[in-house]
Structures are given as structure tokens and as C-alpha cells.
């Protein structure tokens, strides 16, 4: 589940009086490797990780929740991999903006101190 792609739906569901049990998840499945690659691509290009050995993969379980009921109400919920990439793009944009702001404040301080 990519939280920031689904949480904005909660107020709308409440306003419309939607009740019941829903699998509140993005459609599709993804892997840790995909998420890490998106993080590396959009947020931190220096990010490194070590992949596990094939025998360790037996311990990992992949499953997909049935989100048919949720998609009837919100048919435009993005696939989990698309939502993950959009989330990483936003995170990367925020990180760059924060870095630029910090650099600007540091330059202003250095000028004021000189």
C-alpha cells in the first residue's frame, strides 16, 4: 500500500457515507527491489543495497489483496508500482527543495557574518 495515494480518499469515503470492509490497498504487487530502485532513481542516487541470496527468497511471501470493491468506488487508484514511483518523485522534489533552502540560508548567514 502506498499510503499517500490512498489516504486522500478517506475524507471522500466518509463524506459519501461509504461503510463496510475494504482492502485499502493499491492494486497489483511489487518487490522490495523495485521500491529501492525508485528511491535510488528519484530520491538518492547514492543509495546502495545488498540483494539476498536466492535461498532467502523462499522466506518471502508475495500476495495480492482483492481490491475490486474499492476500485468500483475509485477506479483511478494507481497500480502499486505507479503509486510508488509517484511517491518517490514527490519525496525527491521535497528533498531537493529542502536542500536548496538550507543552502540559501547558509549563504545568507555567511554573508551576514562577513
Amino acid at each position: 500500500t502506498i499510503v499517500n495515494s490512498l489516504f486522500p480518499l478517506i475524507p471522500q469515503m466518509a463524506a459519501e457515507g461509504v461503510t463496510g470492509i475494504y482492502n485499502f490497498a493499491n492494486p497489483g504487487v511489487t518487490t522490495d527491489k523495485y521500491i529501492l530502485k525508485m528511491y535510488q532513481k528519484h530520491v538518492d542516487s547514492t543509495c546502495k543495497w545488498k540483494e539476498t541470496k536466492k535461498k532467502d527468497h523462499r522466506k518471502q511471501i508475495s500476495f495480492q489483496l482483492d481490491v475490486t470493491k474499492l476500485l468500483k468506488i475509485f477506479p483511478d487508484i494507481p497500480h502499486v508500482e505507479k503509486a510508488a514511483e509517484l511517491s518517490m518523485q514527490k519525496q525527491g522534489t521535497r528533498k531537493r527543495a529542502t536542500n536548496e533552502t538550507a543552502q540559501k540560508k547558509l549563504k545568507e548567514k555567511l554573508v551576514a557574518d562577513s
Side-chain angles (χ1 to χ4, degrees), residues 1-12:
T1 299
I2 308 301
V3 173
N4 62 358
S5 72
L6 294 174
F7 275 22
L9 305 177
I10 294 172
Q12 188 175 347

Side-chain angles (χ1 to χ4, degrees), residues 27-96:
V29 294
T30 193
T31 63
D32 295 342
K33 185 177 179 177
Y34 180 84
I35 300 295
L36 287 166
K37 282 184 175 186
M38 290 302 100
Y39 181 82
Q40 184 182 53
K41 178 179 177 181
H42 296 291
V43 181
D44 182 358
S45 62
T46 65
C47 176
K48 304 283 186 229
W49 62 91
K50 183 178 177 183
E51 297 200 25
T52 58
K53 296 177 184 175
K54 286 198 178 236
K55 69 178 184 175
D56 294 335
H57 287 250
R58 292 184 304 224
K59 298 174 188 172
Q60 296 178 349
I61 299 172
S62 293
F63 61 92
Q64 182 174 354
L65 295 173
D66 182 359
V67 293
T68 305
K69 188 175 174 184
L70 187 62
L71 288 171
K72 286 181 183 175
I73 302 170
F74 301 106
D76 296 328
I77 294 174
H79 185 279
V80 66
E81 289 187 342
K82 180 64 176 173
E85 183 162 18
L86 291 171
S87 179
M88 294 300 170
Q89 287 172 348
K90 288 179 185 175
Q91 187 175 351
T93 300
R94 281 193 302 269
K95 181 180 178 185
R96 284 186 296 280

